[in-house]
Amino acid sequence: MAASNVDVILCGICDVQHVSHVADYWCPECDEGLCSTCKNYHSISKASRQHGIISIDDYKKLPVEICKIEQNCTEHDKKFQMFCPRHDQLCCIMCVSENHKECTGMFLIDDAIKSSRSSTLFDSLEKTLKDIQDNIEKVVKDREANLDEIKQHHLKILNDIKDKRRNVNSRLDELEKNIIDDLNSTETQLKLKIETLLDKLSTKMTTIELLKTNIMSVKQHGSDLQAFIGSKMLEKDVSDELKCIQNLSEDDGFSQLGLKCQIDDKITDILSKITAFGSITIEKSQSPIVIGVGLEMQAQIFTAVPPSSRSFGDITASLVGDVKVPAGDDNSCITGSSVFPDGRMIFADCYFNKRLIIVQSDGTLDSEIPLSPLNPFDVTCIDDKMVAVTIGSNNKIQIIDTKTKQVTKTINTGVGRGITYRQGQLIYCGIGIGIVGIQLSNYKVYTLVKDHTLQDDFCYITNSGENLYYTDYGSTVKCYSVKGDKLWVYKNKLIMNNVTGIAVDQQGIVSVISNSNRSVVLISSDGKNSRTLLTKKDGITESYGMYFQINKLCVVSCSGNLLKFDIA
């Protein structure tokens, strides 16, 4: 088959006749190009008149991977007729007989491709891509803001370092001045003491010189009597001076004085023990950005879309399947259900068998996961193998790998009952709180809808698009946006009471189980009207689990009887 990036594509019919004509059109069904002449014959031929012809220019716009999709099985050279959701694979009749004998849930491609262009999968993919773009833009803005914040942190820390250095320098300058002043003052005191002693000694020297002169004068010029009496007088003066000299050691100025400086240890620590001015570390905290991206692809692969013109009052249901959930050791009590993307179903068998049951679309047992002594109340599928289960008696949610049958995460909650999965979030009914969300990327818990009136143990929740829908067991059904805005509340005891399981179709029409009168009730997408769709006559008994699967409304009774209804 020609690739979409080939510049020249030849007409396949002409090419078989060894004639080279450039193709003006492309037939995806025939998987070949057509010139204008051959296109006219192709359009009136009974075998090909229904084929959707596109221009060659439009064909070249298709991605290369899409153009490589084969119309026929390369192994058996037969046209694909079936699709196997278990293997996510197109199959011809030979493929089915050889490789897919044990597969369940297979369906005709022709039944699905008629409405494939209007499939919610495309809407979901487009929405998810928009979500991814929005998240990237949010992350880019957040990271750019973080860069600015880091720059501001850098400037602040730099200023703090310089301020601290200035403060340290200023304090050291102050301490230096203080100790120098102290040094100068102390030196002055010491100088004063010694200089005072020197002044005293200088005076004594003058006195001694005078006494020496007096002694010489008396000896040379005095009479004998004067010499006798004078010597006695001079002896006393000399004795007094001798005592003064002998007492010099007691004078403070006579001590050997000096100066000594002891630097404070805290100052010397700066030079020896302090090896760094400080330290720079990376501060890490949870980003305020919550990534919310995910494909709402559950049970949507090749799903036909009901006509948008379908009237609420004209909706009908017809039973097309009746499957018995494999029994356990005791009577079943199914309180929760969900469906994997590959079409398998999972049920929470709560009170007696305390298990999860995984069932193929034909009702055959795939596997079961015992949870005793815990009571699994409700269950929701995260992907092909991971599920989340609310535990009725322990106020916790467990995330379980259904392949290994191991609990990978236990999340303690308040009293939680009904649960659903949406775009990387678990959303559950928090009794006495409202609707609570858990972001699986970081297990952050936050309240989506504050609703303290939500008090009943048998409340269930589902989601569709940007809306959340939940029941409160009495006679009330509520619809809120995922942002927490109330859209509508519907209550009508005359037609529904003890409401439990809830499901929403692609038009926003809500189906709920009314256990008091054993019925399924429809509520219009605007929450203004309701009508009974199914009753006891249709096989509805006490039930809690309900969901849509490929345009079929599935209702599972408490005893484990699964009814499938075509909705038209």
Side-chain angles (χ1 to χ4, degrees), residues 402-433:
T402 60
K403 299 297 184 184
T404 63
K405 300 184 180 181
Q406 298 297 313
V407 176
T408 63
K409 181 71 175 180
T410 297
I411 307 169
N412 293 320
T413 64
V415 181
R417 288 298 182 258
I419 189 169
T420 187
Y421 172 79
R422 179 186 184 273
Q423 297 185 2
Q425 306 170 62
L426 295 177
I427 303 173
Y428 68 93
C429 297
I431 306 303
I433 301 172

Side-chain angles (χ1 to χ4, degrees), residues 282-299:
I282 295 175
E283 186 180 55
K284 187 177 181 180
S285 61
Q286 182 64 46
S287 171
I289 298 296
V290 177
I291 302 297
V293 178
L295 292 177
E296 297 177 358
M297 293 178 16
Q298 185 165 302

Side-chain angles (χ1 to χ4, degrees), residues 277-333:
F277 199 93
S279 62
I280 304 298
T281 58
I282 295 175
E283 186 180 55
K284 187 177 181 180
S285 61
Q286 182 64 46
S287 171
I289 298 296
V290 177
I291 302 297
V293 178
L295 292 177
E296 297 177 358
M297 293 178 16
Q298 185 165 302
Q300 291 182 4
I301 300 175
F302 292 110
T303 300
V305 179
S308 58
S309 60
R310 184 181 64 178
S311 169
F312 174 72
D314 295 334
I315 296 174
T316 59
S318 56
L319 183 66
V320 293
D322 187 346
V323 175
K324 182 66 179 177
V325 176
D329 296 333
D330 210 329
N331 293 330
S332 295
C333 184

